[in-house]
Amino acid sequence: MKPGSELHNTGRRAARSVTVVATGFALIVASAMVLGGSAVVHAESSPAAEAAPQEPAHLGDWPQFRGPKGDGRAEHATLSLPWPADGPAELWSVPLGGGYSGIAAVDTQLYTLMSDGSDELLVAFDARDGSELWRLRTDAKRRDSFGDGPRSTPTVDQHRIYAVSALGHLWCADRHSGEVLWDRDLRKEFGAVVPTWGVSASPIVFQDLLLFNVGGRAGHSLMAFDKKTGEVRWQTATGIPGYSLPLTVELGGMEQSIFFTGTELIAVEPNTGNGLWQLSWKTAYDVNAAAPVWVPPDRLFISSGYDTGAALLQVKNQEGAIKIEELWRSREMKNQFSSSIYHDGHLYGFDNEHFKCIGADDGVTRWRKTGLGHGSLIYADGHLVVLSDGGRLAIVEAAPDRYREKASAQISRGKHWTAPTLQRGRLLVRNQKKLMAFQLGPLGPPRPPEPPSPPKPPVAPVSQKTGLR
């Protein structure tokens, strides 16, 4: 079956600073009509549909990896504590194929990537009962001694959903039906390098762009695609891809998109791709996997495993020159793949198999907890929702004075390397065999029904040379 066919409807180091005026990496801003190939467009929304006002983001939805803002925080969630003696209520559980893809949740629909047989699939489920709604084949299954299947998490924006296979095929589909809107073969078109443990980064939407660390050759490492058509809007840099998603945030008085590649941290202007600054960050096996964390108002926290450690950077704009000051560097927090959470002056995360709280200002450990393995966490309602790699769920007060566990339960067995999702009271958890939903708070109402999608006009052939119709 071809891709796109639907199967069913410790030591700290002193601070140092680096003034960055020009980044030195080559910038290629490409006209989509000439460079970067042309998207394979399968369907097109009508002009009337595109002119309609954007559908507002609903409070409580979790549309992408690490939630609405990419910071791992469910800001509007309410947790129901204490739990019953046997733990939180399980709402439903359904079989799921292998993979480590996270769960995006919008309205009453859930989306994740999984493997089935020899295929990788993008699958939609009903959040209320776990029933499958549709599936789309995205690629052949990637096989790995650490676990087969996809790693990237889908991203939802209005009626579209974006997903990337473990072998580097980028898809845009209608999130209600699974109908393919456009796709790009990142390896074939841009020379994308598949990292050692597969393509794991997730794309993010910024205004009308889809940003992704493609890891392509000859100036195609960082790229922006038109989110509606898939055409290339800009491309820049050449380098090894990382495993992390981009972060777009205001720093130094300007919006910056921060990419954590396999060997460095790179900041660009999100609308143009113009380079702002870059910082070398070497890790064994080029595994920079944890997402950069914004520490307000003007700092960034980065961390990697394999004994690399973490650093806090301050980004300043001094009369047009970007100054990057390394406030501290330490091996007290080594995020191998699970990203940290910032809350009230402190950072919470996994230093390999030690769950820790460190001070954001100094990188000094406030407390540590063992027994949770290489776990993951999100923030909700003044607490940390922590999932161990063996399926133990704990609710921990987000406080720096000591580790205070408010509730815990063994909710599942097997390998849990995927961070949980919290949407409208439902905690969504996956392992290599199941997708599960637990009630952690009041179940919020769904968004009002959307009007039916307008009929789509015939799609004109696309010139493979210019992308012009």
Side-chain angles (χ1 to χ4, degrees):
M1 185 174 294
K2 295 180 179 180
S5 57
E6 295 182 35
L7 303 180
H8 305 287
N9 213 27
T10 147
R12 293 182 64 243
R13 200 163 79 186
R16 63 189 181 95
S17 64
V18 181
T19 301
V20 184
V21 180
T23 64
F25 59 84
L27 174 67
I28 306 172
V29 180
S31 164
M33 293 192 300
V34 180
L35 299 179
S38 48
V40 178
V41 181
H42 299 261
E44 179 179 277
S45 298
S46 70
E50 296 297 358
Q54 292 191 356
E55 125 189 326
H58 192 282
L59 297 181
D61 280 340
W62 196 272
Q64 63 179 9
F65 184 62
R66 284 177 56 80
K69 297 180 180 179
D71 56 5
R73 299 174 65 91
E75 294 286 6
H76 303 283
T78 299
L79 300 180
S80 297
L81 295 170
W83 292 344
D86 56 351
E90 182 177 296
L91 300 172
W92 50 259
S93 173
V94 296
L96 189 70
Y100 299 105
S101 174
I103 300 125
V106 175
D107 300 336
T108 58
Q109 287 186 292
L110 314 175
Y111 309 91
T112 194
L113 289 156
M114 72 175 197
S115 60
D116 186 11
S118 60
D119 299 324
E120 286 188 6
L121 308 165
L122 172 61
V123 190
F125 299 89
D126 192 308
R128 296 164 293 191
D129 58 13
S131 58
E132 185 175 312
L133 301 173
W134 55 260
R135 55 172 59 188
L136 170 72
R137 185 183 188 274
T138 57
D139 218 325
K141 179 168 70 174
R142 183 185 184 277
R143 300 185 183 275
D144 192 301
S145 60
F146 290 91
D148 300 336
R151 278 88 163 115
S152 178
T153 299
T155 296
V156 176
D157 178 64
Q158 300 179 61
H159 68 277
R160 302 177 187 87
I161 183 167
Y162 306 92
V164 188
S165 75
L167 293 173
H169 204 121
L170 171 62
W171 298 88
C172 173
D174 186 293
R175 74 176 184 89
H176 300 292
S177 66
E179 178 185 4
V180 176
L181 302 178
W182 56 263
D183 71 284
R184 306 294 304 236
D185 187 328
L186 304 180
R187 288 189 298 167
K188 182 178 179 180
E189 297 183 60
F190 311 115
V193 175
V194 176
T196 304
W197 286 282
V199 176
S200 305
S202 300
I204 63 164
V205 171
F206 175 79
Q207 297 178 2
D208 61 344
L209 302 177
L210 186 73
L211 310 182
F212 190 61
N213 182 190
V214 171
R217 304 184 189 280
H220 290 80
S221 180
L222 317 180
M223 297 187 69
F225 301 89
D226 187 298
K227 71 178 185 179
K228 298 175 183 177
T229 68
E231 298 296 338
V232 176
R233 295 283 290 274
W234 58 256
Q235 59 209 40
T236 187
T238 299
I240 300 168
Y243 298 81
S244 174
L245 86 166
L247 173 70
T248 298
V249 67
E250 184 174 318
L251 291 167
M254 63 177 68
E255 280 191 300
Q256 304 185 25
S257 288
I258 316 296
F259 291 81
F260 205 7
T261 75
T263 59
E264 59 189 334
L265 197 66
I266 303 178
V268 302
E269 294 178 345
N271 280 310
T272 65
N274 289 327
L276 298 172
W277 57 270
Q278 63 190 126
L279 181 74
S280 177
W281 189 265
K282 303 285 188 178
T283 304
Y285 313 109
D286 302 317
V287 180
N288 291 324
V293 177
W294 177 56
V295 178
D298 58 359
R299 297 172 293 172
L300 284 172
F301 170 81
I302 56 173
S303 179
S304 301
Y306 300 98
D307 206 36
T308 302
L312 187 73
L313 311 174
Q314 187 170 38
V315 183
K316 297 179 179 180
N317 187 345
Q318 297 182 342
E319 298 181 351
I322 303 294
K323 181 181 180 182
I324 310 301
E325 182 177 1
E326 187 179 281
L327 301 178
W328 56 259
R329 185 182 289 217
S330 168
R331 290 195 292 274
E332 285 294 289
M333 182 69 83
K334 299 178 287 293
N335 293 160
Q336 185 164 335
F337 54 81
S338 175
S339 303
S340 291
I341 301 287
Y342 172 79
H343 180 68
D344 284 355
H346 294 84
L347 290 150
Y348 301 85
F350 280 86
D351 174 32
N352 290 326
E353 294 186 328
H354 294 83
F355 182 44
K356 285 184 176 181
C357 168
I358 67 172
D361 290 339
D362 56 17
V364 175
T365 297
R366 303 298 194 261
W367 54 252
R368 73 185 71 207
K369 172 70 174 178
T370 60
L372 296 167
H374 286 278
S376 57
L377 71 156
I378 59 176
Y379 170 91
D381 195 13
H383 295 78
L384 306 167
V385 181
V386 185
L387 181 66
S388 81
D389 59 6
R392 179 189 168 206
L393 183 67
I395 305 299
V396 181
E397 188 174 341
D401 58 333
R402 64 186 178 93
Y403 177 91
R404 275 192 294 272
E405 194 172 271
K406 295 295 190 68
S408 68
Q410 188 74 39
I411 61 169
S412 178
R413 300 289 179 181
K415 186 187 290 183
H416 295 74
W417 282 1
T418 302
T421 287
L422 183 60
Q423 186 229 17
R424 304 184 193 176
R426 296 182 186 89
L427 185 76
L428 303 160
V429 174
R430 73 172 291 174
N431 57 21
Q432 294 293 80
K433 296 182 179 180
K434 294 190 299 181
L435 174 61
M436 299 152 277
F438 299 87
Q439 185 171 353
L440 287 198
L443 299 181
R447 188 184 299 169
E450 298 174 353
S453 299
K456 297 180 176 65
V459 179
V462 178
S463 164
Q464 296 300 306
K465 199 169 186 178
T466 67
L468 296 176
R469 301 191 182 283

